[in-house]
Amino acid sequence: MSEDQSKIPAMEVDTAFIKSKRGILKVAEMVTLLVAFVCFAVASTPKYIAATVLEFLITALLVLLYIFKLNKRLTFFFWPLIDVLNSVFAAVYFIILSLLAVSTYTVTGTLVGGIFGLISAGVLCVDSYLLFRNITLNRPRSETQNQETTTN
C-alpha cells in the first residue's frame, strides 16, 4: 500500500504567495467582500448579496489556483490576464453597485455594505494595476524581469 501512495504526485503549496503583495491584496479583497456580504445579508438586500458572493467565490478560486500552483499546470489560459480582467470588471461593477447601495439605503446594513463595497473596489483597482504592470505583452521576458527586480 505504501508503494501506491508514493506514486501519487504531491500537490505543491505556495505559501509565499499569501505573504506577497498580490496575496495580501487578494486576501484583503476577500475580507472586504465578506464584510460587505454580511452587511448586505443583515440588511436583506438579495441583489447586492448575489454580487458580493459571486465575486468572493471568484477571488477565492483564484487564490486557490495560485496557492496550489494550478496556474502552472493549466496552461491553456493566460491566468494573469484573466485575473486582470476579473479585477477591472469587478472594480467597475462594485463602484456602481456600491454607489447605488449608498445612495438608496433604507437600512444601515446596506450603507455599511456599500462603503465596504467601495473599499473593495479600491483594492480591486490596485490589484488590477499591479497585475497589469507585470504582464508581458510585447516586451521580452528579460526586460520584464529586470523591471520587476527594480520595483520590488
Side-chain angles (χ1 to χ4, degrees):
M1 185 166 174
S2 63
E3 293 174 14
D4 293 336
Q5 291 177 351
S6 64
K7 292 181 183 179
I8 298 172
M11 174 122 0
E12 291 184 56
V13 177
D14 186 12
T15 55
F17 175 76
I18 296 294
K19 298 173 187 173
S20 69
K21 287 181 195 175
R22 288 182 53 214
I24 292 170
L25 278 173
K26 290 291 182 193
V27 170
E29 286 173 25
M30 290 175 57
V31 168
T32 56
L33 287 168
L34 184 66
V35 171
F37 162 70
V38 169
C39 292
F40 289 141
V42 168
S44 298
T45 50
K47 55 188 171 187
Y48 302 134
I49 292 171
T52 53
V53 166
L54 182 63
E55 186 54 36
F56 179 82
L57 289 176
I58 291 171
T59 304
L61 288 175
L62 284 169
V63 167
L64 288 175
L65 178 90
Y66 292 131
I67 286 176
F68 292 123
K69 294 186 178 183
L70 294 174
N71 57 334
K72 307 265 191 239
R73 291 185 183 189
L74 305 171
T75 58
F76 49 88
F77 289 124
F78 186 53
W79 291 107
L81 185 61
I82 290 174
D83 201 358
V84 166
L85 290 175
N86 173 55
S87 295
V88 168
F89 288 128
V92 170
Y93 187 73
F94 270 97
I95 288 171
I96 294 168
L97 181 98
S98 298
L99 288 175
L100 277 171
V102 168
S103 64
T104 62
Y105 79 95
T106 55
V107 180
T108 309
T110 307
L111 175 66
V112 176
I115 291 170
F116 272 97
L118 286 171
I119 293 169
S120 180
V123 173
L124 284 162
C125 286
V126 171
D127 185 30
S128 62
Y129 171 73
L130 291 177
L131 277 169
F132 186 73
R133 234 182 43 191
N134 289 335
I135 291 179
T136 60
L137 296 176
N138 290 329
R139 293 181 291 179
R141 185 171 290 283
S142 61
E143 181 182 326
T144 305
Q145 289 173 349
N146 289 339
Q147 181 186 6
E148 287 178 5
T149 57
T150 58
T151 58
N152 291 337

